[in-house]
């Protein structure tokens, strides 16, 4: 989208612009890099991180400083592994043993890999993978051991699926999501647990490991639904045949317009499969005890529920990639940076939107309604809905709800502030568009000089059209201007 397109978009979506402005001006990450104190290889690692995923490069800065570098290196190692798995130009004979032994290269100084195809987007990471290996040797061994263990499990799981380009059963689909995403949730949870100050409830590892698994699977399943067209174009099929075969005869039929109703029903079943992880994700986030770590885990989750609502009943996923807008993303980051109540409110908002989009024509209508209802019921049990203004009035009449009164007043102030910034954004947009239009008119020869100060003082905003015509006619005939009555 060009500059003019963005101006027009924000002109009709001022709330989006307001969110971006607020995020740019007031959001400060928990960790700020100081390149002057970084080694050359660490600076390069952050460069590869921004190259492979700008969004994760921003999210990782929300972490506690102790975890920033280990988590960044963890991501780069797994991204390198994923880059080998995704590259269809690498022969199976070379790919499979490389995936299964990838954890061993983490201890080989100077190891790099240039076997990716020239168009592989993350090729440069593996070409300079020696930077990652160098920095891995410098982090705390407890983090390095976790990275090595998760890499070993994920590499072998990817190798098991390297021989196929499609998934047949739901069980295979769940196992694949475990290898590529569930293990990430497990690894990060172990990071939080072994940190010097202990950033998570120990129960997440000892008695509730499934919660971390759901965190990763929810993100992965949402991405698989969103990227179905891109994967199809690259001859990969991650939607299980056990699901799509209930709706169409061939997987390719999902992308034909004459099968659009069946395709949407199929996508709804995929969404239903992902929704079953939401309650576990909410439970997991409630057990994170360090605010910066909470923000780190919450941001991807609120992005995922917003994306899931976007792809639900959206035929656009079968034609091209879809993604949430920058304004929505900025708003979600700010909401995820507050507290658990705010994050729960985000989930409730998007789940309710899904319920409104749900249609009785969908074979999964009832099950999706039930799944959304369970999520709302879970959130309501944690944070019951209240009319804060009504409770504030009760408090002023003699109740003891001083805190409630303060909260209601804060909400009123926030609403007024939002209106102010909304009006400011609208006025600024109108001024900018007016300046562009006046500039275009001037460049195309508009007689702006006709609006002389003298005419304006006489309140004669529009010049005498007859006088202008007479002047133009006289000039055309080569003589003086003709006055009325002359023949």
């Amino acid at each position: 989208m060009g500059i003019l397109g963005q101006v027009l978009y924000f002109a009709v979506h001022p709330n989006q612009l307001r969110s971006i402005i607020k995020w740019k001006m007031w959001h400060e990450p928990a960790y700020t890099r100081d390149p002057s104190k970084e080694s050359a290889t660490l600076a390069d690692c952050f460069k590869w991180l921004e190259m492979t995923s700008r969004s994760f490069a921003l999210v990782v800065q929300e972490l506690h400083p102790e975890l920033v570098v280990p988590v960044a290196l963890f991501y780069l190692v797994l991204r390198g592994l994923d880059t080998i798995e995704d590259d269809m130009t690498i022969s199976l004979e070379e790919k499979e043993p490389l995936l299964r032994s990838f954890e061993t290269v983490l201890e080989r100084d100077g190891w790099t890999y240039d076997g990716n195809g020239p168009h592989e987007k993350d090729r440069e990471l593996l070409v300079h993978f020696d930077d990652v290996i160098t920095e891995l040797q410098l982090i705390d061994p407890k983090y390095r051991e976790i990275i090595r263990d998760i890499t070993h499990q994920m590499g072998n799981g990817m190798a098991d699926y390297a021989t196929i380009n499609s998934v047949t059963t739901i069980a295979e689909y769940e196992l694949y999501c475990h290898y590529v995403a569930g293990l990430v949730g497990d690894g990060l949870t172990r990071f939080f647990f072994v940190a010097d100050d202990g950033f998570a409830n120990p129960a997440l590892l000892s008695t509730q490991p499934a919660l971390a698994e759901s965190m990763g699977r929810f993100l992965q399943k949402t991405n698989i639904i969103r990227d179905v067209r891109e994967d199809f174009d690259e001859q990969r099929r991650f939607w299980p045949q056990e699901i799509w075969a209930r709706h169409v005869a061939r997987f390719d039929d999902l992308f034909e317009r004459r099968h659009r109703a069946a395709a949407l029903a199929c996508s709804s079943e995929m969404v239903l499969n992902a929704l079953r992880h939401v309650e576990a994700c909410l439970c997991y986030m409630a057990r994170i005890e360090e605010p910066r770590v909470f923000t780190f885990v919450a941001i991807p989750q609120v992005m995922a529920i917003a994306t899931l609502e976007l792809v639900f009943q959206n035929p656009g996923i079968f034609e091209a990639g879809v993604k949430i807008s920058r304004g929505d993303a900025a708003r979600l980051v700010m909401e995820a940076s507050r507290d658990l109540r705010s994050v729960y409110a985000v989930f409730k908002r998007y789940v309710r939107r899904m319920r409104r989009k749900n249609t009785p024509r969908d074979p999964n209508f009832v099950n999706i309604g039930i799944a959304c209802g369970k999520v709302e019921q879970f959130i309501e049990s944690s944070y019951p809905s209240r009319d804060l203004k009504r409770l504030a009035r009760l408090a002023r009449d003699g109740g003891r709800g001083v805190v409630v009164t303060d909260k209601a007043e804060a909400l009123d102030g926030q609403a007024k502030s939002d209106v102010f910034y909304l009006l400011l954004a609208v006025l600024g947009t109108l001024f900018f568009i007016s300046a562009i239009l006046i500039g275009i008119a001037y460049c195309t020869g508009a007689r702006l000089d006709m609006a002389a100060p003298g005419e304006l003082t006489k309140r004669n905003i529009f010049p005498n059209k007859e006088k202008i015509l007479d002047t133009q006619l006289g000039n055309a005939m080569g003589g003086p201007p003709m006055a009325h009555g002359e023949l």
Side-chain angles (χ1 to χ4, degrees):
M1 183 184 295
I3 296 178
L4 183 58
Q6 292 187 26
V7 170
L8 295 176
Y9 176 80
F10 289 127
V12 296
H13 298 88
N15 284 331
Q16 302 271 325
L17 181 61
R18 178 181 62 111
S19 297
I20 294 176
I21 293 174
K22 290 178 68 175
W23 180 71
K24 291 286 187 181
M25 293 181 64
W26 291 301
H27 180 74
E28 295 183 3
Y31 174 83
T32 302
R33 289 180 56 205
D34 185 357
S36 64
K37 297 181 180 180
E38 296 175 352
S39 64
T41 51
L42 181 58
D44 284 341
C45 285
F46 278 108
K47 181 174 71 174
W48 309 132
L49 183 64
E50 293 177 1
M51 180 193 71
T52 55
S53 177
R54 292 180 62 186
S55 59
F56 188 82
L58 293 174
V59 172
V60 77
Q61 295 182 57
E62 304 294 339
L63 270 171
H64 188 281
E66 178 187 344
L67 293 174
V68 172
V69 173
V71 171
L73 295 175
F74 183 40
Y75 178 87
L76 288 175
V77 169
L78 300 186
R79 192 58 179 255
L81 189 66
D82 184 67
T83 302
I84 294 173
E85 184 222 9
D86 283 346
D87 195 340
M88 306 306 291
T89 66
I90 303 175
S91 67
L92 184 60
E93 291 75 16
E94 180 182 5
K95 179 184 293 188
E96 184 175 359
L98 186 57
L99 292 173
R100 295 193 186 279
S101 63
F102 196 77
E103 82 278 1
T104 63
V105 308
L106 305 182
E107 300 175 356
R108 292 164 55 183
D109 293 338
W111 184 89
T112 60
Y113 181 74
D114 61 357
N116 287 106
H119 301 296
E120 178 59 43
K121 60 180 181 178
D122 296 330
R123 185 179 190 278
E124 288 299 307
L125 170 62
L126 289 171
V127 171
H128 300 89
F129 202 74
D130 52 332
D131 294 334
V132 180
I133 295 174
T134 298
E135 289 301 319
L136 276 173
Q137 307 309 316
L138 303 178
I139 64 174
D140 194 311
K142 62 188 179 185
Y143 296 125
R144 190 164 61 246
E145 182 57 35
I146 294 173
I147 294 174
R148 179 184 171 88
D149 178 47
I150 297 298
T151 303
H152 171 72
Q153 295 184 61
M154 185 178 292
N156 279 280
M158 288 180 170
D160 292 340
Y161 282 84
T163 57
I164 58 176
N165 294 328
S166 61
V167 177
T168 302
T169 66
I170 295 177
E172 290 178 358
Y173 176 61
E174 297 289 349
L175 185 59
Y176 175 78
C177 291
H178 161 74
Y179 283 135
V180 301
L183 288 172
V184 179
D186 176 53
L188 289 173
T189 304
R190 290 161 64 181
F191 272 44
F192 305 153
F193 179 72
V194 303
D196 292 341
D197 295 328
F199 298 142
N201 191 315
L204 287 176
L205 281 178
S206 59
T207 61
Q208 298 172 320
L211 299 183
E213 178 82 18
S214 288
M215 290 283 284
R217 290 198 194 189
F218 181 59
L219 299 181
Q220 182 65 24
K221 290 181 176 182
T222 300
N223 290 338
I224 286 176
I225 299 170
R226 182 197 62 193
D227 297 336
V228 61
R229 180 72 207 198
E230 178 182 344
D231 291 330
F232 174 72
D233 291 339
E234 296 180 2
Q235 299 182 344
R236 293 179 299 188
R237 303 176 181 179
F238 294 114
W239 289 24
Q241 182 177 354
E242 186 176 341
I243 289 180
W244 62 256
R246 297 179 184 138
H247 306 277
V248 291
R250 300 178 307 116
F251 186 74
D252 298 28
D253 292 342
L254 294 174
F255 306 92
E256 297 182 7
R257 291 184 179 276
R258 58 194 178 95
H259 296 293
R260 191 49 44 88
L264 288 175
C266 181
S267 68
S268 294
E269 190 167 351
M270 292 292 294
V271 168
L272 176 62
N273 180 276
L275 272 174
R276 291 172 177 148
H277 296 287
V278 171
E279 290 181 63
C281 293
L282 297 174
C283 285
Y284 180 96
M285 289 185 285
R287 286 160 176 74
I288 298 297
E289 300 172 349
E290 209 278 333
R292 287 164 290 190
V293 174
F294 171 80
T295 300
F296 170 78
V297 300
I299 289 176
Q301 296 298 320
V302 296
M303 295 289 187
I305 190 63
T307 302
L308 195 67
E309 185 273 329
L310 177 64
V311 301
F312 179 55
Q313 292 293 326
N314 186 350
I317 63 174
F318 300 104
E319 300 172 359
V322 298
K323 60 180 181 180
I324 57 179
S325 66
R326 291 175 58 192
D328 285 338
R331 178 186 178 185
L332 289 168
V333 169
M334 291 188 294
E335 290 177 318
S337 303
R338 295 173 187 166
D339 52 26
L340 185 65
R341 178 189 290 270
S342 179
V343 170
Y344 277 24
V346 171
F347 272 80
K348 178 185 285 189
R349 180 170 75 241
Y350 283 100
V351 165
R352 285 182 172 176
R353 290 183 184 180
M354 294 178 69
R355 293 187 70 173
R356 289 194 294 267
K357 291 170 67 175
N358 198 15
T359 171
R361 295 189 299 272
D362 190 338
N364 302 288
F365 171 75
V366 174
N367 290 331
I368 288 178
I370 292 173
C372 291
K374 287 183 177 179
V375 174
E376 286 195 60
Q377 184 178 20
F378 177 87
I379 295 173
E380 189 69 19
S381 66
S382 301
Y383 296 103
S385 299
R386 295 172 180 173
D387 186 344
L388 297 180
K389 291 185 178 181
R390 182 176 61 84
L391 292 180
R393 288 195 299 270
L394 292 175
R396 285 193 291 267
D397 291 338
R400 295 180 298 173
V402 177
V403 175
V404 174
T405 302
D406 294 340
K407 187 176 293 183
E409 292 175 351
L411 288 174
D412 288 342
Q414 180 66 31
K416 293 177 182 178
S417 175
D418 289 348
V419 171
F420 171 76
Y421 286 112
L422 179 60
L423 290 175
L424 186 63
V426 171
L427 292 175
T429 303
L430 291 176
F431 175 79
F432 185 73
I433 294 175
S434 299
I436 291 178
L437 295 177
I438 292 174
I440 293 174
Y442 179 78
C443 292
T444 55
R447 295 296 303 275
L448 299 180
D449 57 313
M450 290 295 183
E455 297 291 339
L456 294 178
T457 56
K458 298 176 183 177
R459 298 185 179 179
N460 186 17
I461 298 177
F462 299 100
N464 193 313
K465 297 181 180 180
E466 295 180 351
K467 183 177 180 180
I468 295 174
L469 292 175
D470 289 344
T471 301
Q472 293 175 344
L473 180 59
N475 292 336
M477 299 177 63
M482 291 188 299
H484 289 291
E486 295 183 3
L487 295 175

